[in-house]
Amino acid sequence: MSLRSSSLVPARRAAFVLSCAVALAGSPFGVGCGAGEGQSSAGEGQSSAGGGGALPDETEPPPAPGASGPPACPEAATSVDLTVENAYGTLEGTLEVPAGCGPFPSVVILPGSGPTDRDGNQAAAGIAADTYRLLAEGLRDRGIASIRYDKAGIGRSASAAPRSEREMRFEMGADDAVLWVKALRDDGRFAAVAVVGHSEGSLLGMLAAQAIEIDGYVSIAGAGRPIGEVLRDQLAGLPDEDRERAYEILGRLEAGELVEDVPQTELFLSLFRPSVQPYIISWMKRDPAVELAAVEAPILLLQGTADIQVGVQEAERLAGARPDARLVLIEGMSHTLKEATLSSASQQAAYTDPSLPVVPRVLEEIAALLRAE
């Protein structure tokens, strides 16, 4: 979530939208870094598809009259909408299932910060890379099923967020991810379930991996430091007076203190308005390196060298916390998992052009992790 490449003016808008700092202004409530509640909803969730209680094709159809043996394997891949229920409402996502006979390995794709839909886009901000759709389809073509979903409060998951911003807590996003893992676990077509967390979803994936058994954990462009440190880096370029005030507020929030006397400017209200502070405080308690150390599943860390939001040093810090993890630095990969240079035009295209493919190395590494399991 580094914004050190702020000299890339045409790409700056995209980078700011997806950064943790500015994403705090992006959800239906004005906050865009995830949604959920303090109490775990994992035990309350139920999965459904088309209003029913079972995933599509969960049971095999009976053989046709006169037929013998098991039914033929599907000749084509399928893509269907699914829902699960959290404590507030309905989360909706898309399940991709490969052609052929299972059981298939599968993944839950956890989205990054901001008002992000299941395909990885933010319509209001002009982010239209289709990153998660391309990732899911690429994995499907390699024999791996996946669920990707609209974040709580976004798109068809609008009802799944609390009505008040003050009720939001960082851990809610992990609770929602656990519901999707359970949905795959309960479907007999899937032999293994892994979690793939992108950007902010990386930390949420670590929490989910501690709450429910999974067969693999993948972090893509995840921060290696607590969000307070990341925000300090992002705000370092402010004028002296604003920077000092922002750092003071961050320190108080890190101590668990609510701050009422927030400057009434667009910047400060977008980041530190009182209604979003409980969410930030809950986020600040989490150190990604510490949380990763508690994950028991096999770990894969993927990081692009052309990522203008998250630097390589973040992945290296995560790797330092788990020497047994596989760290893969992908040359020339942007934050949206597409090939790019550090030029303004190239970065802009990576955020806005859905025709650009996901870097194949990402798909290959995830497939290799699941094959090993």
Side-chain angles (χ1 to χ4, degrees):
M1 302 127 186
S2 169
L3 294 177
R4 292 173 182 168
S5 300
S6 58
S7 60
L8 302 174
V9 178
R12 186 186 302 173
R13 181 167 174 262
F16 266 86
V17 170
L18 287 178
S19 74
C20 289
V22 179
L24 290 170
S27 81
F29 305 101
V31 59
C33 291
E37 64 169 353
Q39 297 179 348
S40 173
S41 59
E44 303 167 2
Q46 298 176 341
S47 65
S48 65
L55 297 177
D57 302 325
E58 184 173 339
T59 58
E60 294 180 348
S68 61
C73 297
E75 295 182 358
T78 59
S79 179
V80 295
D81 291 339
L82 297 179
T83 62
V84 294
E85 300 292 323
N86 69 9
Y88 295 100
T90 301
L91 289 159
E92 183 172 306
T94 298
L95 172 68
E96 302 282 352
V97 181
C101 288
F104 304 103
S106 64
V107 302
V108 177
I109 300 172
L110 277 62
S113 60
T116 307
D117 67 20
R118 71 188 72 185
D119 291 336
N121 299 328
Q122 296 183 21
I127 307 302
D130 274 4
T131 295
Y132 303 150
R133 177 184 65 80
L134 295 170
L135 177 61
E137 292 175 354
L139 291 172
R140 179 199 65 200
D141 294 344
R142 286 165 170 78
I144 300 170
S146 69
I147 282 179
R148 65 188 191 275
Y149 56 96
D150 296 333
K151 293 173 67 170
I154 304 302
R156 293 192 174 183
S157 298
S159 69
R163 306 287 82 84
S164 168
E165 184 175 68
R166 288 183 181 274
E167 299 176 56
M168 297 178 70
R169 299 295 184 272
F170 183 76
E171 293 80 5
M172 286 174 49
D175 291 340
D176 290 346
V178 168
L179 298 179
W180 291 114
V181 171
K182 285 186 173 183
L184 292 179
R185 284 273 185 226
D186 292 341
D187 187 317
R189 291 172 294 172
F190 307 121
V193 182
V195 166
V196 177
H198 175 242
S199 194
E200 181 193 68
S202 168
L203 177 54
L204 291 171
M206 297 173 198
L207 302 183
Q210 295 173 37
I212 189 170
E213 182 181 357
I214 61 173
D215 300 291
Y217 164 76
V218 182
S219 169
I220 307 178
R225 297 171 295 156
I227 188 58
E229 295 182 24
V230 175
L231 288 173
R232 284 183 175 85
D233 277 358
Q234 293 180 350
L235 299 173
L238 291 176
D240 290 347
E241 183 176 351
D242 286 344
R243 183 180 65 254
E244 291 173 6
R245 183 71 176 112
Y247 283 7
E248 177 201 351
I249 293 173
L250 285 171
R252 292 168 66 181
L253 293 174
E254 286 171 327
E257 176 185 351
L258 295 173
V259 181
E260 295 295 334
D261 54 333
V262 175
Q264 300 298 293
T265 67
E266 181 178 359
L267 172 66
F268 278 88
L269 290 177
S270 68
L271 295 175
F272 302 125
R273 61 192 175 280
S275 60
V276 79
Q277 290 179 23
Y279 179 89
I280 299 175
I281 289 172
S282 69
W283 191 358
M284 286 178 160
K285 295 176 181 178
R286 304 292 184 172
D287 182 336
V290 172
E291 302 300 343
L292 185 65
V295 173
E296 296 184 356
I299 296 169
L300 171 64
L301 307 172
L302 301 177
Q303 177 63 50
T305 63
D307 188 332
I308 62 173
Q309 291 183 234
V310 178
V312 168
Q313 69 277 9
E314 302 291 341
E316 291 173 340
R317 185 175 191 268
L318 291 177
R322 281 297 294 265
D324 60 324
R326 175 168 168 77
L327 171 62
V328 180
L329 302 180
I330 302 179
E331 189 66 30
M333 187 176 79
S334 70
H335 192 70
T336 57
L337 317 189
K338 301 187 176 192
E339 187 174 348
T341 68
L342 294 179
S343 74
S344 299
S346 183
Q347 288 289 330
Q348 186 76 2
Y351 284 92
T352 59
D353 187 349
S355 71
L356 296 177
V358 166
V359 174
R361 183 76 182 276
V362 173
L363 306 170
E364 294 164 2
E365 291 291 344
I366 295 174
L369 175 74
L370 289 169
R371 282 197 299 269
E373 291 308 301

